[in-house]
Amino acid sequence: MSAPQPRDWVLHVDLDQFLASVELRRHPELVGLPVIVGGSGDPTEPRKVVTCASYEARSFGVHAGMPLRNAARRCPEATFLPSDPAAYDEASDQVMGLLRDLGHPVEVWGWDEAYLGARVADPVELAERIRTVIAAETGLACSVGISDNKQRAKMATGFAKPDGVYTLTDANWMDVMASRPVDALWSVGPKTTKKLAALGITTVWELAHTDAERLTATFGPRTGLWLLLLAKGGGDATVSADPWIPRSRSHVVTFPRDLTERAEMDAAVTDLARRALADVVAQSRVVTRVAVTVRTNTFYTRTKIRKLDRPGTDAEDITAAALRVLDLFDVDRPVRLLGVRLELAPPS
């Protein structure tokens, strides 16, 4: 029997409960206990949400995005820790460096996940080596999904968690996915799921066997054909080793109390714009458009965006533009959240 020949694979590496795991490295006494990361670590702090929860906390129904107060009610014995982005940056950089040292192209998708493209005969062996190296060098656990494209590899990681390896290819795609709901597919959200349900399509198998013209009539040619491709297990197989370059910088704040005075809103937007601009300047980038997000106390949320007269980094121009965008809103209710996003020109 001949040995397997090398072929192209895509591996999706996802660090398990990443933020919580970074905290547990410096608080080993909390290993095995429910830990919740978010805000300043004070569960009574208003309008702060869970950034990450350990698996032990998740067993109580705690999840990212949940208000800290709700998390404390669900899991009163949990330890709450403040979010520490600098520590997460450092840990992420260390992991991504280890992945690059393996000699394969690595495409970083955030703090805790990356794609690795490799031409190997045994991708499982490579996946196990990745897990071993990361655990030995950082003390962090990761899961690895294996396939021949990014979308299917990312879905495979979901089956690998926690701290495992899973392979999802043409050979087992329909065996694993056929009866699952359409929102089990990568990038298929509630709105798309609702539209598909209106067509009588609720499972991956049904979507994969839907006529393409029916889908394009509802979703348009691009999205309709993409949905069909996803349901059949297809996707993008290109792993780029180019460094990730942010296309925008933003800052958002949820206020301890709702803002009712326009002067307070102006001051908050000005501060957010200046903070985002400081990030832009530090990266030697140039702003092209300014966006402002407003969320009222009824949770009505909208974002408006406008192009600058000329790209630049002048603080007065940027803050004035942000205030002009705020003027576009008819703010007739107390404001719960404000955000400013600065969109950037490609680096020269």
Side-chain angles (χ1 to χ4, degrees):
M1 184 175 179
S2 60
Q5 295 300 305
R7 54 165 288 192
D8 292 327
W9 295 95
V10 176
L11 284 72
H12 179 250
V13 181
D14 196 343
L15 294 162
D16 297 336
Q17 55 175 22
F18 173 56
L19 275 58
S21 293
V22 173
E23 297 296 343
L24 291 171
R25 284 198 309 184
R26 50 188 177 185
H27 298 286
E29 72 278 6
L30 298 177
V31 172
L33 301 176
V35 172
I36 297 171
V37 180
S40 66
D42 179 2
T44 66
E45 192 175 10
R47 298 184 175 178
K48 297 298 182 180
V49 299
V50 175
T51 307
C52 182
S54 68
Y55 289 123
E56 291 79 10
R58 294 179 197 184
S59 68
F60 288 84
V62 177
H63 57 79
M66 172 182 287
L68 289 179
R69 288 179 170 179
N70 291 2
R73 284 195 290 269
R74 291 200 179 193
C75 189
E77 63 266 47
T79 298
F80 287 80
L81 298 173
S83 183
D84 186 353
Y88 312 143
D89 281 338
E90 182 180 356
S92 178
D93 288 345
Q94 185 182 9
V95 169
M96 300 311 164
L98 291 170
L99 291 179
R100 293 185 179 99
D101 287 345
L102 294 172
H104 303 284
V106 174
E107 185 173 334
V108 178
W109 272 52
W111 262 339
D112 60 348
E113 62 177 318
Y115 288 99
L116 187 148
R119 186 171 184 80
V120 295
D122 188 352
V124 174
E125 186 277 332
L126 176 57
E128 293 292 359
R129 183 149 51 99
I130 288 169
R131 292 176 58 247
T132 299
V133 167
I134 290 176
E137 295 289 336
T138 71
L140 301 174
C142 71
S143 299
V144 183
I146 301 170
S147 192
D148 51 9
N149 64 62
K150 290 178 180 175
Q151 287 71 23
R152 192 152 56 185
K154 184 175 177 68
M155 295 184 62
T157 312
F159 296 109
K161 284 186 170 292
D163 195 19
V165 174
Y166 194 89
T167 303
L168 191 58
T169 65
D170 282 333
N172 64 341
W173 173 256
M174 276 301 171
D175 289 340
V176 174
M177 297 299 300
S179 63
R180 295 182 183 274
V182 290
D183 61 3
L185 293 170
W186 180 85
S187 80
V188 175
K191 290 183 179 180
T192 300
T193 299
K194 186 176 181 180
K195 284 186 178 182
L196 288 170
L199 299 175
I201 302 167
T202 60
T203 68
V204 172
W205 190 94
E206 290 168 344
L207 179 56
H209 291 81
T210 299
D211 182 72
E213 290 186 5
R214 190 178 181 207
L215 292 172
T216 57
T218 301
F219 295 97
R222 183 173 181 177
T223 301
L225 293 177
W226 176 246
L227 288 171
L228 188 59
L229 180 68
L230 285 177
K232 292 181 177 181
D236 175 20
T238 303
V239 176
S240 172
D242 295 337
W244 178 73
I245 300 174
R247 286 176 280 188
S248 67
R249 299 297 299 187
S250 63
H251 279 276
V252 178
V253 61
T254 299
F255 302 103
R257 60 172 182 81
D258 296 333
L259 302 188
T260 56
E261 300 297 327
R262 179 53 190 261
E264 294 178 306
M265 301 175 199
D266 287 350
V269 164
T270 299
D271 177 63
L272 290 166
R274 289 183 179 277
R275 290 165 60 190
L277 181 60
D279 295 339
V280 172
V281 171
Q283 296 180 349
S284 300
R285 302 289 295 279
V286 176
V287 180
T288 59
R289 300 202 298 175
V290 178
V292 174
T293 298
V294 175
R295 177 177 297 160
T296 67
N297 64 342
T298 61
F299 284 84
Y300 176 86
T301 306
R302 286 293 181 273
T303 299
K304 296 183 185 291
I305 186 168
R306 290 295 182 269
K307 186 177 180 179
L308 292 176
D309 293 335
R310 58 182 181 278
T313 55
D314 183 82
E316 290 188 8
D317 289 347
I318 302 300
T319 55
L323 292 172
R324 286 197 299 273
V325 177
L326 181 62
D327 285 336
L328 300 174
F329 291 89
D330 182 16
V331 184
D332 57 357
R333 289 186 173 89
V335 169
R336 174 186 178 89
L337 171 148
L338 286 170
V340 173
R341 184 178 76 251
L342 304 182
E343 296 198 351
L344 311 178
S348 56

